[in-house]
Amino acid sequence: MKKPTLAIALAGSFALTACQSSSDPNVQARNAEFGCIAGTVGGAIVGGLIGSTIGGGTGRVIGTAVGLGGGGFLGNRLACR
């Protein structure tokens, strides 16, 4: 995978997690839920991209799958505190 593609994917995942703060509890709950979903999806995307750079053939598929799962888990843990 080319470095510009990875940089764009990283920038996009960080942009997804940006939320505005508000004093309204309904807005805060919605922002927290969006942040949680965005963190999980963003982590899975980044993990999959990183995992796809490992190995070749079947190893690349396994690396991508492990990267998707691990990145999604880590992104969820970080965003859904």
Side-chain angles (χ1 to χ4, degrees), residues 55-80:
T58 305
R60 179 170 288 180
V61 172
I62 293 170
T64 302
V66 170
L68 282 168
F73 176 77
L74 186 60
N76 183 281
R77 284 295 187 176
L78 292 174
C80 300

Side-chain angles (χ1 to χ4, degrees), residues 19-72:
C19 296
Q20 291 182 338
S21 62
S22 174
S23 60
D24 183 13
N26 293 329
V27 173
Q28 288 177 347
R30 203 170 354 150
N31 284 346
E33 183 179 350
F34 176 77
C36 186
I37 293 169
T40 303
V41 171
I45 290 170
V46 172
L49 287 172
I50 293 171
S52 71
T53 62
I54 299 171
T58 305
R60 179 170 288 180
V61 172
I62 293 170
T64 302
V66 170
L68 282 168

